[in-house]
């Protein structure tokens, strides 16, 4: 049987070796499985397989030799670990080792060698390592083969380092070093460099296991080993576009870093070599790599090895920290930007390291740059005037050390000295809270004393107006920034329970220093210095407000001073020299600092803002006219604070309700501004909701006031104001109060529809009886459809009906179906929007949609009704900007939340119906369906609307023409803007599909775009032109679409149209709007290139 099986295997192997690669994959798999099965069952021995393949293995033809090696590799991979006996495995290992230098079979030999290494003993590893390192000229192979052989060598080192070293050197450790170095030296492929890193990390332990001889050999060759790894540092590698390997520059840099840190014997060469790249002139990326490498060396080798290198490390760090590149972000791989950092951030971690942090921090705090800063501050502090006379006599050191911004070049050098010291101290402070406290309370205290910055307890802030104070400001800013960074990390780290105030006794002095600068008290003799001081002062106060709880300001006095000064910076009178931009920057940063104080989690700061800041702001609102600048700034600040903190929002809401009520009673012209602060969608005080009983009571009182006494309010109060504030007040009332208000409002729905509508918009879903709500809706429908009703009141009634349809789907009232009537269409539009938001699939909802779609088909007999139906149907994906009043009751602030992807769902259901009917129709009916589909697409992203499944784009050129000429669909600016956006988005794709969509329609489309892009004269002679002026946005969109068409359409399509485009662009270049002129200039340049071609 064995002889028969051997004969069968021989035949299978002969046929296998004769076949070409990948001709019959199934036959190859069966042959290899048969051989492996025979060996596994014991019917065939490995030596029998080798004998059977002898002719192919020893032949000169590469193809049979490779196929035979593949067969043996398959046997090794399948059976080496469990089935093969030791002798068979040794036989295969020796064979594969000998074939690692055979170009034709390396791929299969490497696969078999890896299997033998993983399953073998010392003899297997030694034989294969010998073949990979000593028996093969690795660098003479192709890239793929080099990677395979080096992978085999690394696997051998990882499996048994000592055996691999013996094999690589044939028993001689010195020779082993030479062989391994020769295998990797000069390698350029990034995949092989990653293998080099793995090998270099393993080598120290591998040689150590060879005893004293191995240790001595490794030490003797350490410099050469390091040179091989260091030749790749710093890494200069950019992954090619479309790279399939997916090796990033960061991965490669980390691999080289590991190789450089493989052994402490590398230290004499590694540390100086890495520090050479910590040179600002080499760029940020190399600085980051160098800092990371030094840090990794310290972590790997420890304090004993690094101690003798600390002086040179600190000198290189000081030079790097003094350069602006130290704070710039590295430009790393596109897919690795999450890990991008700055050189300073990496160097900061060294100050907190176990291997040298304490020594490096000591060197930094005792450095000459700190002593120079102290000397400069003392010189500046002796100056008696703030604004030095540059024309007067000055000493060699400058008039004041650079504080005034005038004088000789020594003054600029003084600022440079201070800035350098600040960066160094900031880097140390960023290392840990303990170091931050030492820097702030010891080193910086000494420097502030040298600058004679007084304590606020003994001196008024006016005495801070010295040139030295500005220098102190420059010094303290980076220190505060570094301290804030480390405290933020500490608050979120494992030792978050350890709280340490890093500002401590210096809290009040630092607040006084930065507050004086924020109020413009520094540098009054030099406007540039004063303006810079305001920015730095507000930045410093912002940072002090941002410290986590317990880490920042140490006393409530300091916190209160900071809040008071920020309020002063907001409320102070504007200087004549301040531009509007400077004023806005000051207000924004001061408000942002207060917001940070109440949202950073520091309960002590929040209490101070509640007790000190908000009462001052309340007073500023109450004591001034609502239209005053001071009142406007106070309300802006209160709105920002309310959005950031729930407790403060409750207090502000209670206060603002009273302000609104008083303003409405007195007829103050600023009532609209106050209402806007309360009900803005993004940051309104009442929009985010209230949670305290007092705030709810205030809202209830305001709602009752609006409902009961609207008729007695001053005539200056706009109905829109009343509507918005009533909705917001009702929405924030409690359930019982809402029921009482609803009962009162619904009883007078016919006589007071405005307040009934407002109340309905603010109600919760479970507030009122369904029957009562239905009757109120019927009353509002009658009011809205009554001829002569004010247009705004119609929209309010529609908003209330839409809100009711969303919150109470079971409340069924009769929707009017006159789509050409403004009142009726507004009601239906709001209801359609509400049901689309709630994803209502009831028969009533579907019947309404079907009726609207049927109205589109009546375009030939009643075009106006078809247009109204299209506008109504488009509400399913959202209202246009001009219809925002219809959404007053369909917002999250009024207890209405849109379903997930409700707009896309509505579009995907309705668009196919409209498009199908458009293609099946002709004339004005086709245009009506196309117009409805275009309006519907305005509410979803262009990428969704332009999907091939909807087939929408071919209909858009006709819609553009209809919107731009007199007719039933002309004058719809919202639809025109939406259609232009879709056309521009499709053309901008620059794909064959986009070009195919336009082919055949290019001429008509380009002519329409040209016509839209030009401002029409008011007295046009063209009877076909639209009399309504096209908006600036539409003209700009048309020009952008012309630019996209020039780059997407074929040359044959657009070349004949160039004259028409040039005529339109020439006119557009004289457009009264700058944005249109810029777009016209871009279009002209694009089409000029076509004309030149």
């Amino acid at each position: 049987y064995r002889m028969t099986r051997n004969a069968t295997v021989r035949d299978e192997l002969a046929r296998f070796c004769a076949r070409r690669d990948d001709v019959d994959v199934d036959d190859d798999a069966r042959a290899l499985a048969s051989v492996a099965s025979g060996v596994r069952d014991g019917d065939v021995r490995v030596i029998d397989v080798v004998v059977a393949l002898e002719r192919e293995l020893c032949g000169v033809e590469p193809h049979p030799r490779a196929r035979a090696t593949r067969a043996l590799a398959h046997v090794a991979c399948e059976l080496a670990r469990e089935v093969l006996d030791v002798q068979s495995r040794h036989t295969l290992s020796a064979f594969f080792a000998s074939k690692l230098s055979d170009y034709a079979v390396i791929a299969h030999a490497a696969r078999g060698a890896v299997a033998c290494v993983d399953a073998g003993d010392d003899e297997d590893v030694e034989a294969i390592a010998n073949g990979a390192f000593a028996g093969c000229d690795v660098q003479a192979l192709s890239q793929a083969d080099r990677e395979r052989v080096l992978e085999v060598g690394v696997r051998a080192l990882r499996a048994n380092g000592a055996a691999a070293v013996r094999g690589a050197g044939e028993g001689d450790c010195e020779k082993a070093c030479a062989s391994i170095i020769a295998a990797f030296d000069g390698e350029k492929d990034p995949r092989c460099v990653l293998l080099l890193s793995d090998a270099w990390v393993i080598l120290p332990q591998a040689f150590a296991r060879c005893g004293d001889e191995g240790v001595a050999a490794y030490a003797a060759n350490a410099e050469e080993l390091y040179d091989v790894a260091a030749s790749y540092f710093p890494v200069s590698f950019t992954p090619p576009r479309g790279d399939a390997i997916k090796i990033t520059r960061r991965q490669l840099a980390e691999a080289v870093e590991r190789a450089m840190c493989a052994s402490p014997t590398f230290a004499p060469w590694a540390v100086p070599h890495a520090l050479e790249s910590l040179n600002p002139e080499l760029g940020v990326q190399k600085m980051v790599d160098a800092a990371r490498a030094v840090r990794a060396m310290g972590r790997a080798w420890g304090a004993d090895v690094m101690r003798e290198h600390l002086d040179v490390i600190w000198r290189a760090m000081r030079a790097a920290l003094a350069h602006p590149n130290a704070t710039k972000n590295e430009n790393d791989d596109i897919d690795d930007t999450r890990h991008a950092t700055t050189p300073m951030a990496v160097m900061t971690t060294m100050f907190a390291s176990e291997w040298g942090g304490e020594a490096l921090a000591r060197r930094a705090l005792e450095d000459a740059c700190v002593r120079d800063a102290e000397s400069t501050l003392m010189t500046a502090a002796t100056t008696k005037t703030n604004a030095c006379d540059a024309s007067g006599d000055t000493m060699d050191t400058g008039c004041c050390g650079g504080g005034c911004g005038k004088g000789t070049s020594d003054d600029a050098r003084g600022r440079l000295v201070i800035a350098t010291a600040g960066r160094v101290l900031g880097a140390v402070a960023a290392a840990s809270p303990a170091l931050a406290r030492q820097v702030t309370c010891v080193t910086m205290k000494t420097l502030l004393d040298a600058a004679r910055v007084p304590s606020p307890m003994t001196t008024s802030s006016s005495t801070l107006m010295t040139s030295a104070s500005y220098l102190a400001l420059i010094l303290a800013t980076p220190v505060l920034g570094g301290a804030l960074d480390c405290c933020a990390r500490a608050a979120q780290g494992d030792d978050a329970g350890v709280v340490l105030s890093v500002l401590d006794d210096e809290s009040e002095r630092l607040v006084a220093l930065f507050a004086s600068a924020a109020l413009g008290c520094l540098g009054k003799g030099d406007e540039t210095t004063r303006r810079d001081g305001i920015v730095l002062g507000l930045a410093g106060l912002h940072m002090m407000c941002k410290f986590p709880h317990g880490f920042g300001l140490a006393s409530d006095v300091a916190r209160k001073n900071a809040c008071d000064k920020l309020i002063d910076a907001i409320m102070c009178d504007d200087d004549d020299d301040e531009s509007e931009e400077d004023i806005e920057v000051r207000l924004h940063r001061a408000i942002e600092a207060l917001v940070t104080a109440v949202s950073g989690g520091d309960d002590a700061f929040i209490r101070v803002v509640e007790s000190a800041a908000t009462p001052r702001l309340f007073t500023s609102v109450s004591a001034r006219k609502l239209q005053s600048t001071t009142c406007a700034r106070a309300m802006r600040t209160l709105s920002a604070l309310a959005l950031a903190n729930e407790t403060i929002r409750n207090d502000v809401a209670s206060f603002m309700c009273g302000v609104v009520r008083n303003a409405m009673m007195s007829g103050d012209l600023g009532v609209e501004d106050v209402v806007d602060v309360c009900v803005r969608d993004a940051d309104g005080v009442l929009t985010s909701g209230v949670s305290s009983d007092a705030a709810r009571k205030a809202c209830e009182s305001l709602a009752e006031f609006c409902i009961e006494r609207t008729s007695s309010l001053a005539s200056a109060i706009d109905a829109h104001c009343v509507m918005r504030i009533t909705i917001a007040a009702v929405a924030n009332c409690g359930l019982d109060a809402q029921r009482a208000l609803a009962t009162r409002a619904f009883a007078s729905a016919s006589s007071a529809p405005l307040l009934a509508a407002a109340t309905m918009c603010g109600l919760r879903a479970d507030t009122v009886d369904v029957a009562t709500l239905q009757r109120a809706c019927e009353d509002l429908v009658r009011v809205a459809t009554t001829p002569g009703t004010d247009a705004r009141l119609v929209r309010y009634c529609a908003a209330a009906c839409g809100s009711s349809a969303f919150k109470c789907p079971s409340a069924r009232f009769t929707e009017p179906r006159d789509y050409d009537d403004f009142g009726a269409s507004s009601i239906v539009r709001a209801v359609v929007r509400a049901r689309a938001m709630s994803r209502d699939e009831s028969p009533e909802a579907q019947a309404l949609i079907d009726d609207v779609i049927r109205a589109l088909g009546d375009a030939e007999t009643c075009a106006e009704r078809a247009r109204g139906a299209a506008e109504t149907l488009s509400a399913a994906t959202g209202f246009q900007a001009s219809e925002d009043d219809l959404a007053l009751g369909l917002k999250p602030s009024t207890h209405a939340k849109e379903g997930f992807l409700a707009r896309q769902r509505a579009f995907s259901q309705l668009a196919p119906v409209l498009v199908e009917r458009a293609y099946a129709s002709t004339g004005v009916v086709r245009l009506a369906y196309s117009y409805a589909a275009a309006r519907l697409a305005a509410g979803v992203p262009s990428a969704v609307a332009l999907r091939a499944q909807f087939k929408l784009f071919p209909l858009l050129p006709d819609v553009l023409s209809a919107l731009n000429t007199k007719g039933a669909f002309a004058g719809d600016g919202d639809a025109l803007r939406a259609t232009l956006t879709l056309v521009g988005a499709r053309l901008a794709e620059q794909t064959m599909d986009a070009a195919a969509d336009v082919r055949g329609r290019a001429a008509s489309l380009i002519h329409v775009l040209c016509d839209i892009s030009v401002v029409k004269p008011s007295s046009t002679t063209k009877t076909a032109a639209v009399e309504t002026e096209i908006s600036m946005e539409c003209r700009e969109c048309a020009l952008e679409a012309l630019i996209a068409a020039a780059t997407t359409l074929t040359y044959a399509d657009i070349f004949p149209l160039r004259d028409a485009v040039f005529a339109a662009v020439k006119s557009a270049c004289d457009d009264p709007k700058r944005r249109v002129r810029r777009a016209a200039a871009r279009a002209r340049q694009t089409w000029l290139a076509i004309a030149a071609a």
Side-chain angles (χ1 to χ4, degrees):
Y1 175 76
R2 175 173 291 181
M3 293 179 62
T4 303
R5 187 68 182 268
N6 281 338
T8 303
V9 169
R10 281 197 301 271
D11 293 341
E12 286 278 7
L13 289 174
R15 289 192 295 271
F16 174 80
C17 294
R19 282 195 295 269
R20 298 183 61 183
D21 290 330
D22 301 326
V23 171
D24 195 334
V25 178
D26 293 337
D27 286 347
D28 286 353
R30 280 193 296 271
L32 294 175
S34 175
V35 174
S37 175
V39 176
R40 181 183 296 107
D41 296 341
D43 299 332
V44 180
R45 297 172 300 173
V46 172
I47 192 64
D48 297 332
V49 178
V50 175
V51 170
L53 294 172
E54 180 180 6
R55 184 169 61 87
E56 288 81 3
L57 292 173
C58 298
V60 295
E61 292 297 326
H63 177 70
R65 197 164 69 248
R67 299 279 289 182
T69 306
R70 176 184 172 187
L72 287 176
H74 181 78
V75 171
C77 292
E78 292 292 322
L79 309 176
R81 186 175 296 276
E82 298 176 357
V83 176
L84 295 184
D85 58 88
V86 174
Q87 186 57 46
S88 297
R89 195 174 58 244
H90 288 173
T91 301
L92 288 177
S93 297
F95 169 75
F96 290 132
S98 67
K99 291 298 182 180
L100 289 176
S101 58
D102 186 344
Y103 297 159
V105 303
I106 287 178
H108 305 305
R111 191 161 63 93
V114 168
C116 291
V117 164
D118 291 343
D121 53 19
D122 292 0
E123 186 175 338
D124 294 312
V125 172
E126 188 172 336
I128 290 173
N130 179 266
F133 292 122
C136 179
D137 185 2
V138 178
Q139 291 304 311
L141 303 176
S142 65
Q143 183 279 323
D145 289 340
R146 290 201 312 275
E147 183 180 5
R148 294 185 183 106
V149 173
L150 293 177
E151 172 68 22
V152 170
V154 171
R155 294 287 281 268
L157 286 168
R158 190 178 288 121
N160 190 323
V165 169
R166 288 194 302 270
E170 298 176 348
D172 186 346
C173 292
E174 285 281 354
K175 187 177 178 181
C177 275
S179 299
I180 295 172
I181 290 171
F184 286 98
D185 194 16
E187 183 56 63
K188 295 181 179 179
D189 186 77
R191 289 162 288 188
C192 297
V193 173
L194 295 180
L195 293 171
L196 179 149
S197 171
D198 294 339
W200 256 236
V201 171
I202 299 170
L203 285 179
Q205 293 182 356
F207 277 91
R209 289 173 182 158
C210 294
D212 294 339
E213 181 189 356
V215 173
Y218 187 87
N221 292 275
E223 184 174 4
E224 190 172 357
L225 285 164
Y226 175 76
D227 287 343
V228 173
S231 62
Y232 304 101
F233 184 85
V235 172
S236 297
F237 172 71
T238 302
R241 188 179 296 276
D243 179 28
I245 304 171
K246 302 301 181 185
I247 295 177
T248 66
R249 200 209 70 84
R250 182 74 249 136
Q251 286 178 292
L252 205 57
E254 289 175 351
V256 173
E257 184 181 288
R258 289 194 298 271
M260 294 168 62
C261 302
S263 171
T265 57
F266 292 168
W269 310 285
V271 174
H273 176 234
L275 293 176
E276 287 177 3
S277 296
L278 195 62
N279 182 355
E281 302 300 328
L282 298 180
V284 177
Q285 190 63 71
K286 289 182 173 57
M287 292 178 67
V288 171
D289 286 347
R292 281 177 169 149
V294 174
R295 180 179 63 183
M297 292 171 190
R299 291 173 175 173
W301 301 337
D304 293 338
V305 175
M306 298 298 290
R307 186 175 295 113
E308 62 180 287
H309 303 286
L310 289 179
D311 285 332
V312 67
I313 291 174
W314 166 241
R315 287 195 295 271
M317 288 174 61
R318 179 181 58 188
L321 289 170
H323 197 277
N325 278 350
T327 54
K328 293 181 181 178
N329 215 45
E330 63 176 328
N331 184 22
D332 214 330
D333 304 289
I334 295 175
D335 60 343
D336 205 28
T337 53
R338 295 179 296 110
H339 306 294
T341 185
T342 64
M344 179 178 284
V346 181
M347 287 185 279
T348 288
T349 60
M350 298 187 201
F351 292 115
S353 64
E354 296 180 359
W355 55 268
E358 182 179 352
L360 288 173
R362 185 173 61 254
R363 285 170 170 80
L365 299 180
E366 297 174 356
D367 191 75
C369 69
V370 178
R371 296 194 299 271
D372 291 344
E374 183 178 3
S375 176
T376 301
L377 290 170
M378 292 179 66
T379 302
T382 58
T383 305
K384 295 184 179 180
T385 60
N386 183 46
C388 301
D389 185 3
S391 62
D393 295 335
T394 60
M395 300 180 294
D396 292 338
T397 56
C399 63
C400 63
C404 65
K406 299 181 179 181
T408 67
S409 60
D410 291 330
D411 300 333
R413 188 174 66 234
R415 292 194 182 197
L416 179 61
V417 167
I418 295 297
T420 300
R423 294 162 77 91
V424 169
L425 294 178
V428 177
S432 68
L435 282 174
R437 181 185 177 94
Q438 182 180 356
V439 170
T440 305
C441 299
V442 179
T443 307
M444 198 167 71
K445 179 181 185 302
T446 302
L447 296 174
L448 294 179
D449 290 342
R452 298 185 183 179
V453 175
S455 169
M457 300 299 293
T458 59
T459 312
S460 65
S461 61
S462 61
T463 60
L464 291 173
M465 296 185 295
T466 65
S467 54
S469 296
Y470 179 69
L471 294 178
L473 193 73
I474 296 175
L475 175 76
T477 301
V479 175
L480 274 182
L484 175 61
D485 288 344
C486 79
C487 291
R489 292 195 305 270
Q492 298 174 358
D494 296 334
D495 55 346
V498 180
V499 177
L500 181 70
S501 175
V502 299
L503 304 181
D504 203 26
D505 295 338
E506 295 300 304
S507 297
E508 295 177 32
R509 175 151 65 165
L510 288 172
V511 168
L513 173 64
F514 282 97
S516 299
L519 295 174
C521 298
L522 299 185
K524 284 192 173 181
D526 179 25
E527 188 57 32
T528 301
T529 300
R530 179 178 174 277
R531 189 163 52 245
D532 292 345
I534 291 174
V535 173
L536 290 176
L538 290 171
L541 291 175
H542 182 276
M543 286 188 286
M544 285 187 276
C545 292
K546 197 174 183 179
F547 275 92
H549 176 68
F551 285 95
L553 297 176
S555 66
D556 284 342
V557 173
R559 298 185 187 95
K560 184 177 183 305
N561 288 342
C563 289
D564 287 341
K565 298 305 180 183
L566 287 169
I567 298 294
D568 291 343
I570 295 169
M571 299 299 177
C572 67
D573 295 332
D574 304 331
D575 288 344
D576 296 335
D577 296 332
E578 277 189 299
S579 65
E580 291 185 5
E581 183 179 357
D582 291 339
I583 295 171
E584 178 58 30
V585 168
R586 169 164 55 84
L587 294 177
H588 174 74
R589 296 192 177 186
I591 293 173
E592 188 179 20
L594 283 173
V595 169
T596 300
V598 300
S599 58
D602 189 342
D603 295 335
F605 231 135
I606 295 174
R607 288 194 298 270
V608 169
V609 174
E610 290 176 358
S611 61
T614 52
R616 283 190 61 187
L617 295 169
F618 291 163
T619 303
S620 297
V621 174
S622 302
R624 305 287 183 121
K625 290 185 177 181
L626 295 180
Q627 290 185 310
S628 66
T629 301
T630 301
C631 183
R633 291 180 180 178
M635 289 192 295
R636 174 179 171 181
T637 308
L638 287 171
S639 176
L641 291 174
L643 186 65
N645 185 274
E646 183 179 359
T647 304
I648 294 177
R649 179 165 63 251
N650 290 326
D651 295 339
V652 174
S654 300
F655 171 75
M656 293 302 295
C657 286
V659 172
V660 171
R661 177 173 178 164
N662 295 335
M664 294 175 72
M665 291 181 64
S666 63
D668 195 311
L669 295 178
V671 66
E672 292 185 15
D673 297 332
V674 183
V675 170
D676 192 56
V677 169
C678 291
V679 302
R680 280 194 299 259
D681 287 340
D683 59 349
V685 174
L686 299 179
T687 302
S688 301
V690 298
S691 56
S692 71
D693 292 337
R696 289 197 183 96
K697 289 291 184 183
C699 290
E700 293 168 9
S701 176
L702 178 60
E704 289 179 358
F705 170 80
C706 290
I707 292 174
E708 292 179 355
R709 301 188 55 187
T710 301
S711 58
S712 63
L713 296 178
S715 58
I717 306 302
D718 184 68
H720 187 57
C721 241
V722 177
M723 181 72 176
R724 294 172 70 202
I725 195 63
T726 305
I727 291 173
V730 171
N732 284 285
C733 291
L735 188 61
D736 293 337
Q738 281 199 351
R739 287 172 177 161
L741 291 170
T743 301
R744 202 174 311 164
F746 293 169
S748 57
S750 299
S751 58
L754 175 68
L755 294 179
T759 304
M760 291 168 67
C761 287
L763 292 179
R764 294 181 178 86
D766 55 350
T767 300
V768 295
D769 175 63
V770 174
T772 305
L773 187 63
Q774 286 182 176
R775 288 194 297 271
C777 289
E778 296 286 358
D779 291 339
L780 293 182
V781 169
R782 281 193 295 272
V783 171
T785 54
T786 300
T789 304
D790 180 71
R792 178 164 279 184
L793 180 57
V794 168
R795 288 195 289 268
Y796 295 153
C797 294
C801 292
S803 182
S804 300
F806 179 87
K807 298 170 187 175
C808 299
S810 58
R812 300 298 180 186
F813 55 91
T814 304
E815 302 103 348
R817 303 299 170 89
D818 300 327
Y819 304 118
D820 53 347
D821 177 74
F822 174 70
S825 65
S826 296
I827 295 289
V828 181
R829 209 174 303 175
V831 172
V832 167
R833 178 77 191 115
R835 289 177 174 169
M837 286 177 60
S838 61
R839 304 176 66 164
D840 189 351
E841 297 181 352
S842 64
E844 293 84 357
Q846 188 59 47
L848 177 61
I849 294 297
D850 292 342
D851 187 75
V852 176
I853 294 177
R854 278 195 300 270
L856 293 172
D858 299 334
E860 288 185 347
T861 58
C862 187
E864 288 297 329
R865 187 168 186 268
R867 173 170 177 165
E871 294 173 349
T872 299
L873 193 63
S874 68
T877 58
F879 295 119
Q880 303 292 340
S882 58
E883 303 170 331
D884 189 56
D885 286 346
L886 295 177
L888 286 174
L890 295 173
K891 299 179 180 181
S893 58
T894 56
H895 315 293
K897 186 176 180 181
E898 186 171 6
F900 180 68
L901 294 179
R903 298 187 185 215
Q904 285 88 330
R905 179 178 179 274
F907 180 81
S908 63
Q909 289 178 338
L910 297 176
V913 177
L914 297 174
V915 172
E916 181 182 359
R917 296 195 179 193
Y919 283 121
S921 306
T922 58
V924 69
V925 177
R926 174 189 175 100
L927 189 58
Y929 285 123
S930 303
Y931 170 70
R935 281 193 62 102
L936 191 71
V940 297
S942 298
V944 174
L946 294 173
R947 287 176 182 169
Q949 69 195 68
F950 297 124
K951 303 178 183 178
L952 176 62
F953 184 81
L955 301 174
L956 298 182
D958 293 336
V959 176
L960 275 183
S961 299
L963 292 171
N964 194 47
T965 55
K966 283 187 176 181
F969 303 106
D972 189 344
D974 293 331
L976 180 61
R977 182 170 54 253
T979 307
L980 285 169
T981 301
L982 291 172
V983 170
R986 185 58 166 163
L987 292 175
E989 292 178 10
Q990 299 185 13
T991 61
M992 295 298 293
D993 290 339
D997 281 344
V998 187
R999 189 167 296 123
R1001 307 178 184 86
S1004 60
L1005 181 60
I1006 296 297
H1007 283 302
V1008 172
L1009 293 174
C1010 290
D1011 195 37
I1012 294 172
S1013 65
V1014 179
V1015 176
K1016 308 295 190 301
S1018 57
S1019 58
T1020 180
T1021 57
K1022 296 182 179 180
T1023 57
V1026 178
E1027 295 180 359
T1028 305
E1029 182 180 354
I1030 295 174
S1031 67
M1032 175 192 69
E1033 291 82 3
C1034 291
R1035 300 198 300 274
E1036 184 183 20
C1037 285
L1039 289 166
E1040 295 291 348
L1042 285 174
I1043 296 172
T1047 56
T1048 301
L1049 302 182
T1050 63
Y1051 184 80
D1053 287 333
I1054 60 178
F1055 185 76
L1057 306 172
R1058 66 193 186 284
D1059 292 336
V1061 173
F1062 282 136
V1065 169
K1066 181 179 179 181
S1067 299
C1069 285
D1070 295 326
D1071 194 279
K1073 297 297 184 181
R1074 182 170 178 266
R1075 280 172 51 183
V1076 179
R1077 294 196 300 272
R1078 293 179 63 181
R1082 293 195 300 272
R1084 182 176 181 274
Q1085 292 298 321
T1086 303
W1087 282 80
L1088 275 176
I1090 296 172

